[in-house]
Amino acid sequence: MGKNYVDIEDDQGGVLRYRKHANGRGLVAHGAKVAATARVEAGAYIEPHARVLDGARIASGAWIEPGAIIGQGAVIDAGAHIGPEAAVGAQAKIGVRSYVGRGAQIAGGSLIRDDEKIPDGERVATDRRGFRLAA
């Protein structure tokens, strides 16, 4: 039986310890909170102080930065990047290779299509087809 954690050195020479999430084997940093019912696939990273709520799915290659919140039942697709302090609402879907900037907020049920970039601090609400709704 192998160890259930990985130590990774950051750019400043510090070492972060990541544990493998029981549901999917993705890496969850010490200090992050991930629900047991969330799926974090191998190759995904959840950074310190991030929160991933019940039923959320984080695909391989996705990166959830510190302080980000992923809502209940949300889907973060392969290679997507959720910036620090960003919030993704319940049942929202973030497409393949999309980027959600620092402090951005994605409303529950929204669809961010593949390869989209949401700027820092922006608030986005879409319908289920990905068309933006009026604010």
Side-chain angles (χ1 to χ4, degrees):
M1 183 165 225
K3 63 184 180 178
N4 201 29
Y5 66 89
V6 175
D7 290 330
I8 298 176
E9 187 173 343
D10 64 19
D11 295 337
Q12 292 76 34
V15 175
L16 285 175
R17 178 163 282 185
Y18 294 84
R19 65 179 166 79
K20 295 176 184 175
H21 193 268
N23 189 8
R25 308 300 288 165
L27 296 177
V28 178
H30 180 72
K33 294 187 181 194
V34 179
T37 59
R39 179 159 180 83
V40 181
E41 293 181 5
Y45 289 85
I46 313 295
E47 299 295 345
H49 310 294
R51 291 186 5 215
V52 178
L53 303 181
D54 291 327
R57 292 180 303 172
I58 313 298
S60 182
W63 179 21
I64 313 300
E65 289 208 57
I69 300 172
I70 309 302
Q72 186 172 8
V75 175
I76 310 301
D77 225 329
H81 180 174
I82 309 300
E85 307 298 325
V88 176
Q91 304 298 320
K93 182 178 187 300
I94 308 300
V96 175
R97 296 176 306 276
S98 290
Y99 173 77
V100 176
R102 174 185 290 277
Q105 297 178 13
I106 309 300
S110 293
L111 170 65
I112 303 302
R113 294 187 183 113
D114 296 349
D115 299 306
E116 279 196 58
K117 182 175 181 186
I118 306 301
D120 293 351
E122 187 166 322
R123 292 179 163 193
V124 175
T126 74
D127 64 15
R128 292 306 299 171
R129 296 171 297 170
F131 295 110
R132 300 245 179 149
L133 300 174

